[in-house]
Structures are given as structure tokens and as C-alpha cells.
Amino acid sequence: MSDIILDKQFEDRIEAGEVIEPKDRMPEKYKKQLVRMISQHAHSEIVGMLPEGNWITRAPSLRRKMGLLAKVQDEAGHGLYLYSAAETLGVDRQELLEQLLYGNAKYSSIFNYPTLSWADVGVIGWLVDGAAIVNQTMLAKCSYGPYARANLRICKEENFHKKQGFEIVATLADGTPAQRKMVQDAVNRWWWPSLMMFGPPDDDSPNSPQLMRWKVKLKSNDELRQRFVDLTVPQAIAVNITLPDPELKLNEEAGHWEFGKIDWNEFFDVIKGKGHMNQERMNARRKAHEDGAWVREAALAYAGKQKSVAEIA
Ligand code: 3HC
């Protein structure tokens, strides 16, 4: 059968809401888009361990330390689910990691900002994990089965992270004047970068039209950003935190919170590598990867040994 007919059959399956599985026939462009998106997502999870990992030794109590340790470990797990989902498309995990560490693969802009105080840990859980949930709840219903299932599992864990973060924020917001000041300062720094996580505006998002046609994305960047703002403003009001946007106002008729202009120059600078922490994040990941070489070698040697035992038996 010609590619044109096969592509049409694929489009019909998507149109009918069918889920595509690894052994199904799919257009090369669909595969390419998925590898791009899933690998960027996987890289974001493992780079995302760094800003908060920075606070594990300085958490203010054993309870907070245990919560943060579990959270950072969950992010590593998310990276693994996602690299596995990418591998179902025939790419090699090692190759993807090399693109991140020694090439120019992208990962989320948000992780190029520094974590300056303990309050940042709470605010990341609340805003950054909150934004990730809004984005990934949709991806859990996307057309590619392995990616949808990975996101379903990720969202369940991100929900704990968000609750944990919001609890830290609420505690600090209800604390001493110094604690209130610290948490307000953290919100002032993380609010706008959290809105940028959803990607450029719809009319400047080259991948969206194709991804939406193929039901990889079910909502656009701007739609999800608006949903995040609508969910988050009432939460900020509930804990008496001010969001750093004088233009925020409720449009009762539309049922949305209107917000001010995002600084897209900052966003594009960060994704081009000119953020505060790009260099440091990559240096830290490279060091962790190189220091861990012996673990990979040992795991491979062990797997080889197990295989030869199985062959003898
Ligand atoms: N950071 C870095 N790069 C971004 C970006 C961001 N916040 N938003 C967009 N970009 C990049 C895109 O990757 C694309 O680059 P490319 O064409 O060179 O690959 C370019 O900017 C144009 O953007 P588009 O809107 O056309 O790109 P997409 O259609 O892919 O949409 C997206 C971007 C909304 C981020 C989408 O890819 C997506 O939903 N990805 C999956 C989710 C994801 O990666 N989340 C990372 C968040 S972090 C996280 O979940 C960790 C948790 O612990 C908090």
C-alpha cells in the first residue's frame, strides 16, 4: 500500500480517537515529533532534580527533608518512565542523554532559575509542579499510548508534590514576618517563569498545529496557561500571597483571570542558554553522569553475568 494511503489510515485512526501503540504504523514526522517532545520532557525531569536537590541538606526539619528527598527521587523516576517511552520509538537512551549533555537538546526553561531560599522549594512544588500537572493531565490523554501512560503515572506523583509545596507555602505565609517576606519574595521570582513553562504564545508556537492535529497536544499553550492562572489565583488569595502582576483581574463574564504581558525576550534568552543557571545545570548533570559511569558498567557486567547463567541453565 502506498504511503499516502497508509498516512490517511493513520489520520483516520487519530480522528476516531484511537490510541497508537509502538508496533503500529505511524508517519515518520509523528515519530520525530514524539521523540523531540518526550526526550525534552525526560531531560526536564532529570535537570529538574537539581534546583531542589540543592536544599536537601538544608531542609528545616526531618519531615521536610524526607518529603523533599522523596520528591527529588520521584523526578528521577519520571525521567526513567519518559526515556523508556521514547525508546519504544526506536531511539537509544544513551543517544538522547548525549544530546542533552554534550549537544544542544532542550529542557524546560524553568530549571534555569536559582533556588535562593527554603521558600523556593515550597513555591516550586506549588507553582512549577502545579503548572506541570495542568500540562501533563492533558498529555495523559494523548494519542501515543506509552507517552499517555507515562504521564498518567507522573501526574499522580506530581499531585503529592504540589500538595507538599502548597503546604510549605501556606505554613510560611502564616508564619513570622521574616517567613512571610521570604515566601513572598520566592513567589515574586517564580510566578512569571512558571507562566513561561507552557511555551510561547499560540501564534508563535511552530509545533502546535501539527501536534494538535495528531492529538498529541489536546489544548494549546495559551489555553493551558490560562487554565493554570485561573486555578492558581484563588489559591494565592487563600493564603494571602500577592502575585506580582498589577494587571491581574477577574473577568467575570468570561470566567477567567486576565493577566499582564509575559516577557518573551527573557523566555527566548533562557532557552537559548542565556539563563542564570544554564551553564551550572549542565555542568552538574555532566559531572553526575561521568561520576556514575562505574555504576552503569557494573550494571551491564551484572546483566551479562545473569544472561550467561540463564544460558547455561
Ligand atoms: N522550555 C524550554 N523550551 C521550550 C519551552 C519551555 N518552557 N516551551 C517551548 N519550548 C521550545 C519547544 O521545545 C520548541 O523547541 P524545538 O522546536 O526546538 O524543539 C520551541 O520552544 C517552540 O515551542 P512550541 O510551542 O512550538 O513547542 P511545543 O509544541 O513542543 O510545546 C511544550 C512546548 C508545551 C513544553 C510541549 O513540548 C510539552 O507539553 N512538553 C511536554 C511537557 C514538558 O516537557 N514539560 C516539562 C516541564 S518540567 C516537568 O514536568 C518537571 C516536573 O518535575 C515539574
Side-chain angles (χ1 to χ4, degrees), residues 33 36-38 40-42 44-46 48-49 52 71 75 78 82 106-112 124 128-133 135-136 139 147 151 154 158 161 193 196-201 204-209 211 217 221 224 267-268 270-271:
Q33 271 288 10
R36 180 191 69 82
M37 197 164 150
I38 301 173
Q40 287 180 4
H41 191 172
S44 304
E45 299 283 355
I46 60 162
M49 295 165 72
E52 288 175 283
K71 182 188 180 209
E75 307 301 353
H78 299 172
L82 291 163
K106 289 197 172 79
Y107 58 89
S108 184
S109 49
I110 193 75
F111 300 121
N112 292 307
I124 290 176
V128 175
D129 288 79
I133 292 168
N135 171 262
Q136 289 158 27
L139 293 174
Y147 191 36
N151 276 297
I154 291 172
E158 301 287 26
H161 303 167
M196 294 174 197
M197 278 176 75
F198 294 92
D204 205 9
S205 163
N207 299 293
S208 281
L211 288 173
K217 274 180 160 179
N221 297 359
L224 292 177
F267 169 78
F268 286 111
V270 172
I271 69 171

Side-chain angles (χ1 to χ4, degrees), residues 55 116-124 168-169 172 179 182-184 186 189-190:
W55 279 90
L116 303 180
S117 73
W118 168 253
D120 288 34
V121 171
V123 171
I124 290 176
I168 295 173
V169 168
L172 294 174
Q179 286 173 321
M182 178 168 73
V183 72
Q184 183 62 60
R189 286 181 287 107
W190 288 94

Side-chain angles (χ1 to χ4, degrees), residues 83 86-87 89-99:
Y83 286 122
E87 281 179 323
L89 293 157
V91 287
D92 180 49
R93 180 181 310 212
Q94 189 59 27
E95 194 186 311
L96 297 178
L97 277 170
E98 273 166 23
Q99 287 166 9

Side-chain angles (χ1 to χ4, degrees), residues 242-257:
T242 308
L243 295 171
D245 179 358
E247 290 174 51
L248 258 184
K249 81 169 188 288
L250 181 62
N251 178 334
E252 286 194 32
E253 212 173 299
H256 289 305
W257 282 88

